[in-house]
Amino acid sequence: GQQVMQIPQYQHVQEGEDFTTYCNSSTTLSNIQWYKQRPGGHPVFLIQLVKSGEVKKQKRLTFQFGEAKKNSSLHITATQTTDVGTYFCAGPYLSSGSARQLTFGSGTQLTVLP
Amino acid sequence: DGGITQSPKYLFRKEGQNVTLSCEQNLNHDAMYWYRQDPGQGLRLIYYSQIVNDFQKGDIAEGYSVSREKKESFPLTVTSAQKNPTAFYLCASSNSYYGYTFGSGTRLTVV
């Protein structure tokens, strides 16, 4: 079953409003990654968090990794139309193969209304 | 510029036909991956390869096959055994868990 849950699935905001997406894992993660996929495009790596309680910022984007390393969040301050897209979290899990591979959450699709 | 090239961008498959999706990278990455994306869903792992001449099944490998004869290339064949192949297929590569690089994808449609 799905090991990474993301909420909300969809979010519509007015330009200038803030936005947050949450990611929850069924197990403790060694790290968590975030990706952005523009409409019609491919996922692009944004950031990786490794340490418990870690907070990283990229301009208007703030990423947090929970103390228990089972949840994470992405917060965008004062959204712009360029923020439109789907944001995915991903963590390494043991797949049906022999090694841990990235498993992606279902994503949060952000729409920014001008 | 280094990157991953997927071709074709769009592909149409008839019932019962095998098709092969190309993925080539010039990033000198050891590991390569194939993911499938359906509307409203995340990415699901089909196959991955960590070194040349070796590959492993992912979570949804049934109806797919791959090869890894060269470090740069990791083609995916969608066989007639895959009952619902219409999807967006993404190839990725990495040298570690840090930051997968994705290709621009192939949209496969069954006609």
Coordinates of all heavy atoms in Angstrom, one line a residue, chain B residues 13-81:
Chain B
R13 N 0.1 3.1 -29.2 CA 0.3 1.7 -29.3 C -1.0 1.0 -29.6 O -2.1 1.3 -29.0 CB 0.8 1.1 -27.9 CG 1.3 -0.3 -28.0 CD 1.5 -1.0 -26.6 NE 0.3 -1.7 -26.2 CZ 0.3 -2.5 -25.2 NH1 1.4 -2.7 -24.5 NH2 -0.8 -3.1 -24.8
K14 N -1.0 0.0 -30.5 CA -2.1 -0.8 -30.8 C -2.2 -1.9 -29.8 O -1.2 -2.3 -29.2 CB -2.1 -1.3 -32.2 CG -2.2 -0.2 -33.3 CD -2.1 -0.8 -34.7 CE -2.2 0.3 -35.7 NZ -2.1 -0.3 -37.1
E15 N -3.4 -2.4 -29.6 CA -3.6 -3.6 -28.8 C -2.7 -4.7 -29.2 O -2.6 -5.0 -30.4 CB -5.1 -4.0 -28.8 CG -6.1 -3.0 -28.3 CD -6.2 -3.0 -26.8 OE1 -5.6 -3.9 -26.2 OE2 -6.9 -2.2 -26.3
G16 N -2.1 -5.4 -28.2 CA -1.2 -6.5 -28.5 C 0.1 -6.2 -29.0 O 0.9 -7.1 -29.4
Q17 N 0.5 -5.0 -29.1 CA 1.8 -4.6 -29.6 C 2.8 -4.2 -28.5 O 2.4 -3.7 -27.5 CB 1.6 -3.3 -30.5 CG 2.6 -2.9 -31.4 CD 2.2 -1.7 -32.2 OE1 1.7 -0.7 -31.7 NE2 2.5 -1.8 -33.5
N18 N 4.0 -4.6 -28.7 CA 5.1 -4.2 -27.8 C 5.7 -2.9 -28.3 O 5.8 -2.7 -29.5 CB 6.2 -5.2 -27.8 CG 5.8 -6.5 -27.1 OD1 4.7 -6.7 -26.6 ND2 6.8 -7.5 -27.2
V19 N 6.0 -2.0 -27.4 CA 6.7 -0.7 -27.8 C 7.8 -0.5 -26.8 O 7.8 -0.9 -25.6 CB 5.7 0.5 -27.7 CG1 4.7 0.4 -28.8 CG2 5.0 0.6 -26.4
T20 N 8.9 0.2 -27.3 CA 10.0 0.5 -26.5 C 10.2 2.0 -26.4 O 10.2 2.7 -27.4 CB 11.3 -0.1 -27.1 OG1 11.1 -1.5 -27.2 CG2 12.5 0.2 -26.3
L21 N 10.4 2.4 -25.1 CA 10.7 3.8 -24.8 C 12.1 4.0 -24.6 O 12.7 3.2 -23.8 CB 9.9 4.2 -23.6 CG 8.4 4.5 -23.7 CD1 7.6 3.3 -24.2 CD2 7.8 4.9 -22.4
S22 N 12.7 5.1 -25.1 CA 14.1 5.3 -25.0 C 14.4 6.2 -23.9 O 13.7 7.2 -23.6 CB 14.6 5.9 -26.3 OG 16.0 6.3 -26.2
C23 N 15.6 6.0 -23.2 CA 16.1 6.9 -22.2 C 17.6 6.9 -22.2 O 18.2 5.9 -22.1 CB 15.6 6.4 -20.8 SG 16.2 7.5 -19.5
E24 N 18.2 8.1 -22.5 CA 19.6 8.2 -22.6 C 20.0 9.4 -21.6 O 19.4 10.4 -21.6 CB 20.0 8.6 -24.0 CG 19.6 7.6 -25.0 CD 20.5 6.4 -25.2 OE1 21.7 6.6 -24.8 OE2 20.1 5.3 -25.6
Q25 N 21.1 9.2 -20.9 CA 21.7 10.2 -20.0 C 23.2 10.4 -20.3 O 23.9 9.5 -20.5 CB 21.4 9.9 -18.5 CG 21.9 8.6 -18.1 CD 23.1 8.6 -17.2 OE1 23.7 9.7 -17.0 NE2 23.5 7.5 -16.7
N26 N 23.6 11.7 -20.2 CA 25.0 12.0 -20.3 C 25.5 12.6 -19.0 O 26.4 13.5 -19.1 CB 25.3 12.8 -21.5 CG 24.5 14.2 -21.5 OD1 23.9 14.5 -20.5 ND2 24.6 15.0 -22.5
L27 N 24.9 12.3 -17.9 CA 25.3 12.8 -16.6 C 26.3 12.0 -15.9 O 26.8 12.3 -14.8 CB 24.0 13.0 -15.7 CG 23.0 13.9 -16.3 CD1 21.6 13.7 -15.6 CD2 23.4 15.3 -16.2
N28 N 26.7 10.8 -16.5 CA 27.6 9.9 -15.9 C 27.0 9.3 -14.6 O 27.8 8.9 -13.7 CB 29.0 10.5 -15.6 CG 30.0 9.4 -15.5 OD1 29.9 8.3 -16.1 ND2 31.0 9.7 -14.7
H29 N 25.7 9.2 -14.5 CA 25.1 8.7 -13.3 C 25.1 7.2 -13.3 O 24.9 6.6 -14.4 CB 23.6 9.2 -13.1 CG 23.5 10.6 -12.7 ND1 22.3 11.3 -12.7 CD2 24.4 11.4 -12.2 CE1 22.5 12.5 -12.2 NE2 23.8 12.6 -11.9
D30 N 25.3 6.5 -12.2 CA 25.3 5.1 -12.1 C 23.8 4.5 -12.2 O 23.6 3.5 -12.8 CB 26.0 4.6 -10.9 CG 27.5 4.8 -10.9 OD1 28.1 4.6 -12.0 OD2 28.0 5.3 -9.9
A31 N 22.9 5.1 -11.4 CA 21.6 4.6 -11.3 C 20.6 5.2 -12.2 O 20.6 6.4 -12.5 CB 21.1 4.8 -9.8
M32 N 19.7 4.4 -12.7 CA 18.6 4.8 -13.6 C 17.3 4.2 -13.2 O 17.3 3.1 -12.7 CB 18.9 4.6 -15.1 CG 20.2 5.3 -15.5 SD 20.5 5.2 -17.3 CE 19.2 6.3 -18.0
Y33 N 16.2 4.9 -13.5 CA 14.9 4.5 -13.0 C 13.8 4.7 -14.0 O 13.9 5.7 -14.8 CB 14.5 5.3 -11.7 CG 15.6 5.4 -10.7 CD1 16.6 6.4 -10.8 CD2 15.7 4.5 -9.6 CE1 17.6 6.5 -9.8 CE2 16.7 4.6 -8.7 CZ 17.6 5.6 -8.8 OH 18.6 5.7 -7.8
W34 N 12.8 3.9 -14.0 CA 11.6 4.2 -14.7 C 10.4 4.3 -13.8 O 10.2 3.4 -12.9 CB 11.3 3.0 -15.7 CG 12.1 3.2 -17.0 CD1 13.2 2.5 -17.5 CD2 11.7 4.1 -18.1 NE1 13.5 3.0 -18.7 CE2 12.7 3.9 -19.1 CE3 10.7 5.1 -18.3 CZ2 12.6 4.7 -20.3 CZ3 10.7 5.8 -19.4 CH2 11.6 5.6 -20.4
Y35 N 9.7 5.4 -13.9 CA 8.5 5.6 -13.2 C 7.3 5.7 -14.1 O 7.4 6.2 -15.2 CB 8.5 6.8 -12.3 CG 9.4 6.7 -11.1 CD1 10.8 7.0 -11.2 CD2 8.9 6.3 -9.9 CE1 11.6 6.9 -10.0 CE2 9.6 6.2 -8.7 CZ 11.0 6.5 -8.8 OH 11.8 6.4 -7.7
R36 N 6.1 5.4 -13.6 CA 4.9 5.6 -14.3 C 4.0 6.6 -13.5 O 3.9 6.5 -12.3 CB 4.1 4.2 -14.4 CG 2.7 4.3 -14.9 CD 2.0 3.0 -15.0 NE 0.6 3.2 -15.3 CZ -0.1 2.5 -16.1 NH1 0.4 1.4 -16.7 NH2 -1.4 2.7 -16.3
Q37 N 3.4 7.5 -14.2 CA 2.5 8.5 -13.6 C 1.2 8.5 -14.2 O 1.0 8.6 -15.5 CB 3.1 9.9 -13.7 CG 2.3 10.9 -12.9 CD 3.0 12.3 -12.9 OE1 3.7 12.7 -13.8 NE2 2.9 13.0 -11.8
D38 N 0.1 8.2 -13.4 CA -1.2 8.3 -13.9 C -1.9 9.6 -13.3 O -1.4 10.1 -12.3 CB -2.0 7.1 -13.4 CG -1.5 5.8 -14.1 OD1 -1.8 5.6 -15.2 OD2 -0.8 5.0 -13.4
P39 N -2.9 10.1 -14.0 CA -3.5 11.4 -13.6 C -3.9 11.3 -12.1 O -4.6 10.4 -11.7 CB -4.7 11.5 -14.5 CG -4.4 10.7 -15.7 CD -3.5 9.5 -15.2
G40 N -3.5 12.4 -11.4 CA -3.9 12.5 -10.0 C -3.2 11.6 -9.1 O -3.5 11.6 -7.9
Q41 N -2.2 10.9 -9.6 CA -1.4 10.0 -8.7 C 0.0 10.4 -8.7 O 0.5 11.2 -9.6 CB -1.6 8.6 -9.2 CG -3.0 8.1 -9.1 CD -3.0 6.6 -9.3 OE1 -2.1 5.8 -9.0 NE2 -4.1 6.1 -9.9
G42 N 0.7 9.8 -7.8 CA 2.2 10.1 -7.7 C 2.9 9.2 -8.7 O 2.3 8.6 -9.6
L43 N 4.2 9.1 -8.6 CA 5.0 8.3 -9.5 C 5.2 6.9 -8.9 O 5.5 6.8 -7.7 CB 6.4 9.0 -9.6 CG 6.5 10.2 -10.5 CD1 5.7 11.4 -9.9 CD2 7.9 10.6 -10.8
R44 N 5.0 5.9 -9.7 CA 5.2 4.5 -9.2 C 6.4 3.9 -9.9 O 6.5 4.0 -11.2 CB 3.9 3.7 -9.4 CG 2.8 4.2 -8.5 CD 1.5 3.3 -8.7 NE 0.9 3.5 -10.0 CZ 0.0 2.7 -10.6 NH1 -0.4 1.6 -9.9 NH2 -0.5 2.9 -11.8
L45 N 7.2 3.2 -9.2 CA 8.5 2.7 -9.7 C 8.2 1.4 -10.5 O 7.7 0.4 -9.9 CB 9.4 2.4 -8.5 CG 10.8 1.9 -8.9 CD1 11.6 2.9 -9.7 CD2 11.6 1.6 -7.6
I46 N 8.7 1.3 -11.7 CA 8.6 0.2 -12.5 C 9.8 -0.7 -12.4 O 9.7 -1.9 -12.1 CB 8.4 0.6 -14.0 CG1 7.2 1.5 -14.1 CG2 8.1 -0.7 -14.9 CD1 7.0 2.1 -15.6
Y47 N 11.0 -0.2 -12.8 CA 12.2 -0.9 -12.7 C 13.3 0.1 -12.4 O 13.2 1.3 -12.6 CB 12.6 -1.5 -14.1 CG 12.2 -2.9 -14.4 CD1 11.0 -3.2 -15.1 CD2 12.9 -4.0 -13.9 CE1 10.6 -4.5 -15.3 CE2 12.5 -5.3 -14.1 CZ 11.4 -5.5 -14.8 OH 11.0 -6.8 -15.1
Y48 N 14.4 -0.4 -11.8 CA 15.6 0.4 -11.6 C 16.8 -0.4 -11.8 O 16.8 -1.6 -11.8 CB 15.6 1.1 -10.2 CG 15.6 0.1 -9.0 CD1 16.8 -0.2 -8.4 CD2 14.5 -0.5 -8.5 CE1 16.9 -1.1 -7.4 CE2 14.5 -1.3 -7.5 CZ 15.7 -1.6 -6.9 OH 15.8 -2.5 -5.8
S49 N 17.9 0.4 -12.1 CA 19.2 -0.3 -12.3 C 20.3 0.6 -11.6 O 20.4 1.8 -11.8 CB 19.5 -0.3 -13.8 OG 20.8 -0.6 -14.1
Q50 N 21.1 -0.1 -10.9 CA 22.2 0.6 -10.1 C 23.5 0.5 -10.8 O 24.4 1.3 -10.5 CB 22.2 0.1 -8.7 CG 20.9 0.5 -7.9 CD 20.9 -0.1 -6.5 OE1 21.0 -1.3 -6.3 NE2 20.7 0.8 -5.6
I51 N 23.7 -0.5 -11.7 CA 24.9 -0.6 -12.4 C 24.6 -1.3 -13.7 O 23.5 -1.9 -13.9 CB 26.0 -1.5 -11.7 CG1 25.4 -2.9 -11.3 CG2 26.5 -0.8 -10.5 CD1 26.4 -3.8 -10.8
V52 N 25.5 -1.2 -14.7 CA 25.4 -1.8 -16.0 C 25.2 -3.3 -15.9 O 25.8 -4.0 -15.0 CB 26.6 -1.5 -16.9 CG1 26.5 -2.2 -18.2 CG2 26.7 0.0 -17.1
N53 N 24.3 -3.8 -16.7 CA 24.0 -5.3 -16.8 C 23.3 -5.8 -15.5 O 23.3 -7.0 -15.3 CB 25.3 -6.1 -17.0 CG 25.8 -5.9 -18.4 OD1 25.0 -5.7 -19.4 ND2 27.1 -5.8 -18.6
D54 N 22.7 -4.9 -14.7 CA 22.0 -5.3 -13.6 C 20.8 -4.5 -13.4 O 20.9 -3.2 -13.6 CB 22.8 -5.3 -12.3 CG 22.1 -5.8 -11.1 OD1 21.6 -7.0 -11.2 OD2 21.9 -5.1 -10.1
F55 N 19.6 -5.0 -13.1 CA 18.4 -4.2 -12.9 C 17.5 -5.0 -12.0 O 17.6 -6.2 -11.8 CB 17.7 -3.8 -14.2 CG 17.4 -5.0 -15.2 CD1 16.4 -5.8 -15.0 CD2 18.3 -5.2 -16.2 CE1 16.1 -6.9 -15.9 CE2 18.1 -6.2 -17.1 CZ 17.0 -7.1 -16.9
Q56 N 16.6 -4.3 -11.3 CA 15.7 -4.8 -10.3 C 14.3 -4.4 -10.6 O 14.0 -3.3 -11.1 CB 16.1 -4.4 -8.9 CG 17.5 -4.7 -8.5 CD 17.7 -6.2 -8.3 OE1 16.8 -6.9 -8.0 NE2 18.9 -6.6 -8.4
K57 N 13.3 -5.3 -10.3 CA 11.9 -4.9 -10.4 C 11.5 -3.9 -9.3 O 12.0 -4.0 -8.2 CB 11.0 -6.1 -10.2 CG 11.1 -7.1 -11.4 CD 10.2 -8.3 -11.2 CE 10.3 -9.3 -12.3 NZ 9.4 -10.4 -12.1
G58 N 10.7 -3.0 -9.7 CA 10.1 -2.0 -8.8 C 8.8 -2.5 -8.3 O 8.5 -3.8 -8.3
D59 N 7.9 -1.6 -8.0 CA 6.6 -2.0 -7.4 C 5.5 -2.5 -8.4 O 4.6 -3.2 -8.1 CB 6.0 -0.8 -6.6 CG 7.0 -0.4 -5.4 OD1 7.5 -1.4 -4.8 OD2 7.2 0.8 -5.3
I60 N 5.7 -2.1 -9.7 CA 4.7 -2.4 -10.7 C 5.4 -2.9 -12.0 O 5.1 -2.5 -13.1 CB 3.8 -1.2 -11.0 CG1 4.6 0.0 -11.4 CG2 2.9 -0.8 -9.8 CD1 3.8 1.1 -12.1
A61 N 6.2 -3.9 -11.9 CA 7.0 -4.4 -13.0 C 6.3 -5.3 -14.0 O 6.7 -5.5 -15.1 CB 8.3 -5.1 -12.5
E62 N 5.2 -5.8 -13.6 CA 4.5 -6.8 -14.4 C 4.1 -6.1 -15.8 O 3.4 -5.0 -15.8 CB 3.2 -7.3 -13.7 CG 2.5 -8.4 -14.5 CD 1.4 -9.0 -13.8 OE1 1.2 -8.8 -12.6 OE2 0.6 -9.8 -14.4
G63 N 4.4 -6.8 -16.9 CA 4.1 -6.3 -18.2 C 5.1 -5.3 -18.8 O 4.9 -4.8 -19.9
Y64 N 6.2 -5.2 -18.1 CA 7.3 -4.3 -18.6 C 8.6 -5.1 -18.6 O 8.8 -6.1 -17.8 CB 7.5 -3.1 -17.6 CG 6.3 -2.2 -17.5 CD1 5.4 -2.3 -16.4 CD2 6.0 -1.2 -18.5 CE1 4.3 -1.5 -16.3 CE2 4.9 -0.4 -18.3 CZ 4.1 -0.5 -17.3 OH 3.0 0.3 -17.1
S65 N 9.6 -4.7 -19.4 CA 10.9 -5.2 -19.4 C 11.9 -4.1 -19.7 O 11.6 -3.1 -20.3 CB 11.1 -6.4 -20.4 OG 10.9 -5.9 -21.7
V66 N 13.1 -4.3 -19.2 CA 14.2 -3.3 -19.4 C 15.5 -4.0 -19.7 O 15.6 -5.2 -19.6 CB 14.4 -2.5 -18.1 CG1 13.2 -1.6 -17.8 CG2 14.8 -3.3 -16.9
S67 N 16.5 -3.2 -20.1 CA 17.8 -3.7 -20.3 C 18.8 -2.6 -19.9 O 18.4 -1.4 -19.9 CB 18.1 -4.1 -21.8 OG 18.0 -3.0 -22.6
R68 N 20.0 -2.9 -19.5 CA 21.0 -1.9 -19.2 C 22.4 -2.4 -19.7 O 23.2 -2.8 -19.0 CB 21.1 -1.7 -17.7 CG 22.0 -0.5 -17.3 CD 21.3 0.8 -17.2 NE 22.2 1.9 -17.0 CZ 22.5 2.4 -15.8 NH1 22.2 1.7 -14.7 NH2 23.3 3.4 -15.7
E69 N 22.5 -2.3 -21.0 CA 23.7 -2.8 -21.7 C 24.8 -1.7 -21.6 O 26.0 -2.0 -21.7 CB 23.4 -3.2 -23.1 CG 22.5 -4.4 -23.1 CD 22.1 -4.8 -24.6 OE1 22.6 -4.1 -25.5 OE2 21.3 -5.7 -24.8
K70 N 24.4 -0.4 -21.5 CA 25.4 0.7 -21.4 C 25.0 1.6 -20.3 O 23.8 1.7 -19.9 CB 25.3 1.5 -22.7 CG 25.7 0.8 -24.0 CD 25.8 1.8 -25.2 CE 24.5 2.5 -25.4 NZ 24.5 3.4 -26.6
K71 N 26.0 2.2 -19.7 CA 25.7 3.1 -18.5 C 24.7 4.2 -18.9 O 23.9 4.7 -18.1 CB 27.0 3.7 -18.1 CG 26.9 4.5 -16.8 CD 28.3 5.0 -16.3 CE 28.2 5.7 -15.0 NZ 29.5 6.1 -14.5
E72 N 24.8 4.7 -20.2 CA 24.1 5.9 -20.6 C 22.6 5.5 -20.9 O 21.8 6.4 -21.1 CB 24.7 6.5 -21.8 CG 26.1 6.9 -21.7 CD 27.1 5.8 -21.8 OE1 26.8 4.7 -22.3 OE2 28.3 6.0 -21.3
S73 N 22.3 4.3 -21.2 CA 21.0 3.9 -21.8 C 20.2 2.9 -20.9 O 20.8 1.9 -20.4 CB 21.3 3.3 -23.1 OG 20.1 2.9 -23.8
F74 N 18.9 3.2 -20.8 CA 18.0 2.3 -20.0 C 16.6 2.2 -20.7 O 15.7 2.8 -20.2 CB 17.9 2.9 -18.6 CG 17.3 1.9 -17.6 CD1 17.6 0.6 -17.6 CD2 16.5 2.4 -16.6 CE1 17.0 -0.3 -16.6 CE2 15.9 1.6 -15.6 CZ 16.2 0.2 -15.6
P75 N 16.5 1.5 -21.8 CA 15.2 1.5 -22.5 C 14.2 0.6 -21.7 O 14.5 -0.4 -21.1 CB 15.6 0.9 -23.8 CG 16.8 0.1 -23.6 CD 17.6 0.8 -22.5
L76 N 12.9 1.0 -21.9 CA 11.8 0.3 -21.3 C 10.9 -0.2 -22.4 O 10.5 0.6 -23.3 CB 11.0 1.3 -20.4 CG 9.7 0.8 -19.8 CD1 10.0 -0.2 -18.7 CD2 8.8 1.9 -19.3
T77 N 10.6 -1.5 -22.3 CA 9.6 -2.1 -23.3 C 8.3 -2.3 -22.5 O 8.3 -3.0 -21.5 CB 10.2 -3.4 -23.9 OG1 11.3 -3.1 -24.6 CG2 9.1 -4.0 -24.8
V78 N 7.3 -1.8 -23.1 CA 5.9 -2.0 -22.6 C 5.4 -3.2 -23.4 O 5.2 -3.0 -24.7 CB 5.0 -0.8 -22.7 CG1 3.7 -1.0 -22.1 CG2 5.7 0.4 -22.1
T79 N 5.1 -4.3 -22.8 CA 4.7 -5.5 -23.6 C 3.2 -5.6 -23.7 O 2.5 -4.9 -22.9 CB 5.3 -6.8 -22.9 OG1 4.5 -7.1 -21.8 CG2 6.8 -6.6 -22.6
S80 N 2.8 -6.5 -24.5 CA 1.3 -6.7 -24.6 C 0.7 -7.3 -23.4 O -0.5 -7.3 -23.2 CB 1.0 -7.7 -25.8 OG 1.7 -8.9 -25.6
A81 N 1.5 -7.7 -22.4 CA 1.0 -8.3 -21.2 C 0.6 -7.1 -20.2 O -0.1 -7.4 -19.2 CB 2.1 -9.1 -20.5

